[in-house]
Amino acid sequence: MHKITLVAALVACGLSGCVSYTSAPTDLARDTAQWLQVSSQLCPANRHLNRADMLRIGLMLNTELNKARLSYAKSTSVAEFAGLWDDPSLSVEVERVFKANLTNKAISPGLTLPVTGLPALAKKIAEHYKEADYWDMRDKERKYMTELECLRHRIMVTHEKLAITRKRLHVMEEEQQKISRLHELGEVDFGAFQVATQRLNDTRKEQMELEALHLEQRQELVAMLGLHPALGNIELAGSLPGGVPAAVGVPGANALLASPSVKSLQAAYGASETELRAEIRKQYPELGISPLYGSEEGNSKVSVGVEFSLPLWNRNREAIATAGGNRALKQAELIAEWRKLLQQAGALGAQQTLLRKHCATEHSRLGTMEAAAAQQEKLFGLGETSILEVAESRHVAYERRLAYLDCLGKLLETQCKLQYLNPAYQQK
């Protein structure tokens, strides 16, 4: 009776530590309402977002980043409980011999001793995957911030081009009125009138295309930030640099070794190596011990049983082959990522050099054209040049301004990618 009570107590104690299921239903309507509320708090109406605002909101609400954080939380939880020994077993046997009016009882606990060290390897594997998920999360954040800042530069360039085009279009409409009157008076031939009209129509088309692009980019920004689509009218604070930006340093091989993508794959490779070691150790048996205490025919007895497998033909060869192949794949992924980073650094450095040269050239041309346009304005005010000539100089300066902005936008995106490619910049 005491033995049965002890067994019941042990079972009750074990069950008390078990995890119980908790329901977590998904309510999309409630989630949408909360989403809108949080979005409105983080991005109030009529607020212009600066760079810090964008990064703060995006890092908080972006769904892909939050999925990466959940993956890291999962691997952290797994690592906390990995490497535990197998639970002991308990066997209770009651035998009734009716003819002899005897009851034989036996209690036999079972315990597996991990003599191969597999629990310690399982713990190490889980820690490797935890580290890999952490650096993968950091790498996703790095790539996200790169894309977000590149989009910010594109929006600012488009916004500037749209403002310039609208201003130019307003002036062109006034020019067209004057040219039309001169054409009616016979002072401007039909060919010049047609050229001016076509140029006006082309500029109107450019404005419509820029407006569509500006809207598309702002909608892309809302999606990237993870904001509710109701907050579609987002404007940005800040301005583009006035001249050619200074060169950004190109990270070298030693700096790139600290890249989150490299560290993530290094941890994954470490996990694959430990998994291979674990599969190799599984060739050898674990030791199972089963002591027994019981009574038979009124006599108490104690015995000890030992159990282990015999590695005669299986020897876990299939799992070992799989783990070895996985290690080779992880090694190849690590090498490929390292080479890709080196290639990116070299390519972006060369692009920056070329784009800075182009920007300097365009900036110089722009200065020349704007000076020429200003001179034509003075002459036109003195009546020493025609409306056609001053309109031509204005439009050339306008086109050079757009060309310079295109070149500047490409340079800013290249420098943004270079900055985030450098692990030291990510820590600022």
Side-chain angles (χ1 to χ4, degrees):
M1 189 69 175
H2 293 295
K3 295 178 182 177
I4 296 176
T5 304
L6 176 61
V7 170
L10 290 173
V11 172
C13 181
L15 293 176
S16 65
C18 294
V19 177
S20 59
Y21 169 77
T22 303
S23 176
T26 302
D27 189 337
L28 295 180
R30 182 180 61 186
D31 176 78
T32 302
Q34 292 175 346
W35 182 25
L36 178 58
Q37 180 182 8
V38 172
S39 298
S40 301
Q41 291 174 350
L42 293 175
C43 184
N46 302 320
R47 178 177 176 180
H48 287 60
L49 300 180
N50 57 30
R51 174 181 175 273
D53 293 330
M54 287 176 53
L55 293 177
R56 176 175 55 85
I57 295 171
L59 291 173
M60 187 182 301
L61 295 184
N62 183 264
T63 53
E64 292 302 317
L65 294 183
N66 286 324
K67 284 171 60 178
R69 292 175 185 129
L70 289 174
S71 294
Y72 174 58
K74 174 186 173 183
S75 60
T76 301
S77 179
V78 170
E80 181 181 356
F81 300 104
L84 299 177
W85 285 21
D86 291 338
D87 288 328
S89 62
L90 185 65
S91 174
V92 179
E93 181 180 351
V94 178
E95 180 186 43
R96 176 67 176 173
V97 183
F98 291 101
K99 188 174 182 179
N101 194 25
L102 294 174
T103 300
N104 299 326
K105 300 179 287 294
I107 296 177
S108 177
L111 180 64
T112 300
L113 300 179
V115 293
T116 57
L118 287 175
L121 290 179
K123 180 72 173 178
K124 190 174 182 180
I125 290 169
E127 290 293 339
H128 277 307
Y129 280 121
K130 172 186 172 182
E131 182 183 1
D133 282 345
Y134 170 77
W135 288 114
D136 182 65
M137 176 186 68
R138 291 288 303 274
D139 183 53
K140 283 184 169 61
E141 290 176 349
R142 176 187 66 85
K143 291 177 179 177
Y144 171 77
M145 289 188 288
T146 304
E147 295 174 2
L148 185 62
E149 289 216 51
C150 285
L151 177 59
R152 174 174 174 265
H153 291 314
R154 289 197 294 272
I155 292 176
M156 293 178 71
V157 168
T158 302
H159 184 82
E160 184 71 15
K161 289 173 67 177
L162 184 57
I164 292 171
T165 301
R166 285 172 174 166
K167 183 178 179 180
R168 173 64 187 139
L169 191 58
H170 177 73
V171 174
M172 289 181 73
E173 288 172 347
E174 294 179 351
E175 294 171 352
Q176 187 66 15
Q177 292 178 358
K178 296 177 182 178
I179 293 172
S180 296
R181 286 197 295 269
L182 293 174
H183 174 62
E184 292 172 358
L185 296 173
E187 296 183 16
V188 172
D189 60 35
F190 181 75
F193 173 74
Q194 282 292 90
V195 169
T197 302
Q198 184 62 44
R199 180 175 287 172
L200 176 62
N201 292 332
D202 290 343
T203 306
R204 285 171 175 165
K205 181 182 177 183
E206 288 176 6
Q207 179 185 4
M208 289 188 293
E209 291 174 349
L210 286 170
E211 288 174 342
L213 179 61
H214 195 227
L215 176 61
E216 180 183 341
Q217 289 174 339
R218 288 193 298 174
Q219 291 173 339
E220 183 182 356
L221 176 62
V222 170
M224 279 195 68
L225 291 177
L227 293 169
H228 193 282
L231 282 74
N233 296 323
I234 293 181
E235 295 294 344
L236 301 181
S239 58
L240 295 170
V244 180
V248 172
V250 180
N254 290 335
L256 292 175
L257 284 173
S259 295
S261 59
V262 171
K263 289 189 173 183
S264 176
L265 290 174
Q266 283 175 333
Y269 175 70
S272 70
E273 277 206 309
T274 309
E275 285 173 337
L276 177 57
R277 290 170 56 196
E279 296 300 338
I280 290 174
R281 289 194 187 182
K282 287 179 183 178
Q283 297 177 100
Y284 310 106
E286 300 282 24
L287 183 63
I289 298 179
S290 302
L292 180 143
Y293 173 79
S295 65
E296 185 175 349
E297 298 182 358
N299 297 315
S300 299
K301 64 177 184 178
V302 177
S303 64
V304 176
V306 179
E307 178 184 358
F308 56 89
S309 62
L310 298 176
L312 296 178
W313 48 76
N314 186 334
R315 299 182 183 178
N316 204 35
R317 292 178 181 177
E318 180 182 356
I320 291 173
T322 300
N326 287 339
R327 183 180 69 168
L329 287 172
K330 294 299 181 183
Q331 186 179 51
E333 289 176 4
L334 174 58
I335 293 173
E337 177 65 18
W338 170 245
R339 292 178 180 178
K340 186 180 78 171
L341 289 177
L342 289 176
Q343 290 170 345
Q344 283 181 345
L348 289 171
Q351 290 173 17
Q352 177 183 225
T353 301
L354 182 62
L355 287 170
R356 289 191 74 248
K357 178 182 176 182
H358 288 175
C359 268
T361 302
E362 287 294 339
H363 193 265
S364 176
R365 290 175 182 171
L366 175 61
T368 302
M369 293 300 102
E370 288 184 339
Q375 182 64 26
Q376 287 291 330
E377 294 284 356
K378 292 179 181 179
L379 294 175
F380 183 69
L382 297 173
E384 296 182 8
T385 189
S386 67
I387 185 63
L388 292 175
E389 291 174 331
V390 75
E392 179 67 21
S393 64
R394 288 170 180 170
H395 203 73
V396 170
Y398 157 76
E399 289 179 334
R400 290 267 62 82
R401 171 65 67 176
L402 295 184
Y404 168 70
L405 287 173
D406 286 334
C407 188
L408 178 62
K410 293 177 182 178
L411 175 59
L412 290 174
E413 287 193 47
T414 300
Q415 292 187 327
C416 178
K417 294 174 182 177
L418 264 177
Q419 286 175 326
Y420 280 105
L421 192 63
N422 189 343
Y425 178 78
Q426 301 168 34
Q427 298 171 4
K428 293 181 180 179

